[in-house]
Amino acid sequence: MTQKRNIVVKIGSALLANQQLLTPRYGFLQRLMEDIAQLRAEGTNVILCSSGSVALGLRLIGETPESAGVSDKQAAAACGMPLLLNAYKQVGHEFGFEIAQILLTLGDFEDHRRFLNTRNTVHRLLEADVVPIVNENDTITTEEIRVGDNDRLAAKVAQMVGADDLVILTGVDGLYDRNPDDPDAQFVPEVEDVSLYMDATKGKSTLGTGGMGTKLQAANMAQEAGVTTWIAQGEVDRPVSHVLDGTRRATRIIPHPNPLSGWDSWIANRLQMAGSVVVTEAFEDSLDGKQPIRREHIASMAGDFTRGDVLHIYDSKGVERARGLSDFTSEELRVLINNPDTPAEQLLGYRTKGEIIRGANLVLLETRHLLWDAPEEIVCAA
Ligand code: GLU
């Protein structure tokens, strides 16, 4: 990666698509791209995470935001994506730069090889001075393989590329301590612990997928990776740079003072987990993120997983304390913990050091503010 400042800018559907006509809002795009051209001229790398494909495609398939079901939205995304990118391309050319499209699904973040591959591609585009425009590949994603909203998608991209800032442009000027329509609502300029505001952020936007809640979830993911998040109104001149230079009001979510490394962040910030283990009461005080978890430290397990899958790690009170990457499959682990007195080599047919989760692949969650990707089901015994 170059030493330039890297920023990810997330743009919501309502800024990009006219709410009634469902056509591109070129006025907004002009202001945005002019600002991006300026930021690039000052030496900043910009990656866009743009919504709008569903909103722009609805008209072509004869649907509206209210009438469209899941498969309609998938078809609308296929229609809207070329319209969206064409609009970006035209306006980008006016300001003298090229754009490129990257369509991702959850697997591109969760599978480490695909994660690295995607990251390399983004870096290669930045080296070539092209602005990557990322969106979720809605046309082919089903519920199980979706990130689900572009706020979190943008945070995952920011984490992936080690961005300095994530700017979330939306229809409001930032976070309020209660519904902004309430006359007593107070603007919140800076946030450290996003969990304090989750209750105040219920509700979602009409055109996009997220609301203020998903923005805070995204900000939480970003802050753990050392990224500063800004939530700001996009409907203005210089929508990004005036946020970054502090001349316009925005909510700033400050990064964690000791951010996770790229590897630890990849382990901790997953949306899908393959299984879980409960550690013994005797071991739980030794959970320090460095000591490996061995078979004798595991009281029970759940799920079907393979080597390299990430597991939830619970203590005996059912509190999720850590996440870690398993060096064993669920079948192997089940055999090992159901036969505690038989040597592993005899059970598995090969020699092992007995570390189910190595210290280097274990991340404590104690500094996290939100566990929004925690499983619904309670863990059960092996
Ligand atoms: N990927 C969706 C689209 O392009 C937007 C999802 C979101 O706004 O969160 O329309």
Side-chain angles (χ1 to χ4, degrees), residues 68-135:
V70 174
S71 61
D72 300 324
K73 287 185 183 159
Q74 291 188 292
C79 297
M81 211 58 222
L83 293 177
L84 180 66
L85 265 286
N86 193 35
Y88 273 114
K89 199 168 182 70
Q90 279 179 29
V91 182
H93 278 176
E94 260 179 63
F95 292 101
F97 60 89
E98 295 292 342
I99 53 130
Q101 177 183 39
I102 303 185
L103 289 176
L104 299 176
T105 64
L106 185 60
D108 298 307
F109 297 98
E110 311 273 89
D111 177 304
H112 201 244
R113 212 161 51 89
R114 281 162 67 184
F115 174 92
L116 294 176
N117 206 12
T118 309
R119 188 170 70 164
N120 287 343
T121 305
V122 175
H123 287 180
R124 184 66 190 87
L125 288 167
L126 293 175
E127 252 171 53
D129 222 18
V130 172
V131 174
I133 302 186
V134 182
N135 197 353

Side-chain angles (χ1 to χ4, degrees), residues 277-290:
V277 295
V278 178
V279 293
T280 60
E281 211 175 334
F283 180 69
E284 62 197 32
D285 288 340
S286 317
L287 254 183
D288 60 1
K290 293 188 193 72

Side-chain angles (χ1 to χ4, degrees), residues 164 191-192 222-229 252-259:
D164 299 285
V191 180
E192 194 267 318
Q223 71 181 158
E224 283 167 13
V227 181
T228 303
T229 301
R252 172 171 175 254
I253 295 97
I254 58 176
H256 199 284
N258 307 306

Side-chain angles (χ1 to χ4, degrees), residues 17-284:
N18 179 297
Q19 197 121 2
Q20 271 80 45
L21 303 172
L22 300 174
T23 50
R25 298 186 64 232
Y26 279 98
F28 165 75
L29 274 172
Q30 295 270 353
R31 289 195 294 275
L32 174 75
M33 298 301 250
E34 182 179 17
D35 197 19
I36 288 173
Q38 184 74 37
L39 284 161
R40 282 162 46 85
E42 290 160 8
T44 302
N45 279 327
V46 181
I47 299 162
L48 295 178
C49 180
S50 180
S51 304
S53 68
V54 174
L56 294 179
L58 283 170
R59 210 171 31 90
L60 278 75
I61 60 158
E63 297 285 346
T64 64
E66 294 73 33
S67 68
V70 174
S71 61
D72 300 324
K73 287 185 183 159
Q74 291 188 292
C79 297
M81 211 58 222
L83 293 177
L84 180 66
L85 265 286
N86 193 35
Y88 273 114
K89 199 168 182 70
Q90 279 179 29
V91 182
H93 278 176
E94 260 179 63
F95 292 101
F97 60 89
E98 295 292 342
I99 53 130
Q101 177 183 39
I102 303 185
L103 289 176
L104 299 176
T105 64
L106 185 60
D108 298 307
F109 297 98
E110 311 273 89
D111 177 304
H112 201 244
R113 212 161 51 89
R114 281 162 67 184
F115 174 92
L116 294 176
N117 206 12
T118 309
R119 188 170 70 164
N120 287 343
T121 305
V122 175
H123 287 180
R124 184 66 190 87
L125 288 167
L126 293 175
E127 252 171 53
D129 222 18
V130 172
V131 174
I133 302 186
V134 182
N135 197 353
E136 184 145 32
N137 196 351
D138 296 308
T139 302
I140 59 148
T141 49
T142 55
E143 208 46 58
E144 308 79 64
I145 60 162
R146 278 171 70 78
V147 176
D149 62 82
N150 277 6
D151 297 319
R152 292 186 302 175
L153 182 78
K156 285 202 155 282
V157 171
Q159 173 214 338
M160 175 186 266
V161 300
D164 299 285
D165 299 275
L166 164 63
V167 182
I168 301 181
L169 294 182
T170 182
V172 286
D173 54 357
L175 175 70
Y176 285 79
D177 64 351
R178 66 201 78 177
N179 187 325
D181 296 335
D182 184 330
D184 292 331
Q186 297 284 323
F187 184 77
V188 184
E190 187 171 285
V191 180
E192 194 267 318
D193 181 353
V194 297
S195 67
L196 303 176
Y197 297 96
M198 287 308 282
D199 278 349
T201 60
K202 300 269 173 335
K204 66 189 273 313
S205 58
T206 3
L207 270 185
T209 310
M212 197 48 85
T214 61
K215 291 178 180 37
L216 292 186
Q217 290 175 341
N220 182 226
M221 186 190 291
Q223 71 181 158
E224 283 167 13
V227 181
T228 303
T229 301
W230 309 83
I231 302 174
Q233 165 69 262
E235 205 62 81
V236 289
D237 284 338
R238 312 284 320 260
V240 182
S241 48
H242 283 176
V243 168
L244 295 175
D245 67 18
T247 51
R248 195 156 55 77
R249 179 150 114 155
T251 297
R252 172 171 175 254
I253 295 97
I254 58 176
H256 199 284
N258 307 306
L260 297 176
S261 67
W263 177 238
D264 285 0
S265 173
W266 181 80
I267 290 177
N269 284 310
R270 296 175 68 82
L271 298 182
Q272 282 183 341
M273 308 284 284
S276 53
V277 295
V278 178
V279 293
T280 60
E281 211 175 334
F283 180 69
E284 62 197 32

